[in-house]
Amino acid sequence: MNPSARKPARKPVIAGNWKMYKTIAETESFFAEIRPLVAGSAHCDIVIAPPFTLLRRAVEAAEGSGISISAQNLHWESEGAWTGEVSAAMIRDAGCRSTLIGHSERRQLFGETDEGVSKKIRAALDAGLQAIVCVGESLAEREAGDTEKVLERQLSGGLAGLTGQDFSRIIMAYEPVWAIGTGRTATPEIAQQAHNFIRSRLGQAGPPEAAGRMRILYGGSVKPGNIQGLMAQPDIDGALVGGASLEAKSFAAIVNFRA
Ligand code: PGA
């Protein structure tokens, strides 16, 4: 069976990663502006991942809009003497439904490892959160021809020991580091190739049906102008959007990619 052929069964996900941007007032105006723009957008799941300080306010501001709120990171312990950290239970308590895990900025700038990613996935799933797990190669790794090797390592390390049921609560995001914040998007064909590779590896790590059902998002300079070409690819099920998610109009245009 070719898992890619199951795309129609996979509901698209358009997720915005706000990184370290926005105040409470800016969050309120963002949601006031975007709500009418996505009111009819039932074709996809819409997610926004604000910084921790904004989570509760974002949950309130998004209530009834169909937009769900995600954290950007978590700690794997449920509580304890971990100064500066936030647990999955706390994120859930704030009203979030999901959390990003293993974003390349966490891996590159804060020393996050595949082992840490694996523990964070377990903690998120155990607390009832959906995990949006990011993988992707750097420019040097791509140029050295190591893209698949890197993805393989991140997938086998990060997803070790997960069951088919766990798989159903994970969304993958392929984010080539060289395309993040650089304006240099992977072409739809390059992205499709990586997504197809990720899906085939997922099919080996877990039940093939679960791999066929898993949503794999592309991230890296996604804009209103390039979303359609990406979404036309058989293994691309949505987008993780950084810069273009900060403006309600551009994020809504990405959400409404079919219009
Ligand atoms: P970008 O960021 O859309 O600004 O390239 C994507 C991401 O880091 O998730």
Side-chain angles (χ1 to χ4, degrees):
M1 181 193 62
N2 171 12
S4 307
R6 299 173 67 102
K7 181 165 184 173
R10 298 193 294 262
K11 190 175 186 188
V13 182
I14 303 292
N17 171 12
W18 280 2
K19 307 193 178 184
M20 200 171 73
Y21 288 100
K22 291 199 190 290
T23 60
I24 290 175
E26 287 164 350
T27 300
E28 285 166 353
S29 10
F30 176 91
F31 282 100
E33 195 182 342
I34 200 162
R35 289 181 70 114
L37 303 178
V38 299
S41 311
H43 63 282
C44 70
D45 290 340
I46 311 171
V47 181
I48 290 283
F52 286 128
T53 51
L54 304 175
L55 289 179
R56 185 65 205 159
R57 192 62 204 100
V59 165
E60 288 160 4
E63 207 181 320
S65 68
I67 303 173
S68 77
I69 305 301
S70 169
Q72 297 176 13
N73 184 31
L74 75 159
H75 192 268
W76 54 77
E77 294 290 343
S78 53
E79 60 181 12
W82 299 96
T83 302
E85 296 293 332
V86 176
S87 75
M90 292 167 180
I91 290 165
R92 181 103 167 118
D93 187 45
C96 293
R97 300 245 298 272
S98 54
T99 180
L100 303 184
I101 298 179
H103 188 277
S104 66
E105 285 151 19
R106 303 281 335 153
R107 293 177 188 262
Q108 290 201 308
L109 308 172
F110 300 97
E112 194 141 312
T113 61
D114 293 325
E115 193 197 344
V117 167
S118 165
K119 288 186 193 164
K120 288 181 179 192
I121 294 174
R122 186 72 271 149
L125 299 182
D126 287 349
L129 292 171
Q130 193 171 42
I132 305 174
V133 182
C134 308
V135 293
E137 81 288 358
S138 68
L139 183 58
E141 289 162 342
R142 174 160 283 270
E143 286 177 344
D146 287 341
T147 298
E148 295 192 349
K149 205 165 84 189
V150 170
L151 294 176
E152 172 94 58
R153 193 196 63 225
Q154 292 174 336
L155 291 170
S156 56
L159 304 183
L162 298 176
T163 64
Q165 207 189 353
D166 293 335
F167 265 46
S168 69
R169 290 160 58 223
I170 293 176
I171 294 174
M172 292 301 305
Y174 169 61
E175 298 209 306
V177 176
W178 46 272
I180 295 179
T182 57
R184 198 180 151 185
T185 331
T187 62
E189 293 72 26
I190 289 179
Q192 163 58 25
Q193 219 174 21
H195 281 229
N196 186 265
F197 175 79
I198 291 169
R199 197 179 303 286
S200 70
R201 284 300 174 272
L202 291 172
Q204 289 165 8
E209 313 79 62
R213 275 195 300 270
M214 194 177 291
R215 273 98 48 99
I216 308 178
L217 318 184
Y218 168 78
S221 300
V222 174
K223 307 279 179 242
N226 58 26
I227 183 69
Q228 274 187 357
L230 290 161
M231 290 304 292
Q233 299 297 319
D235 283 296
I236 300 184
D237 307 312
L240 181 53
V241 186
S245 73
L246 294 169
E247 293 284 331
K249 277 195 189 65
S250 60
F251 188 64
I254 295 171
V255 167
N256 296 322
F257 62 92
R258 285 181 177 168

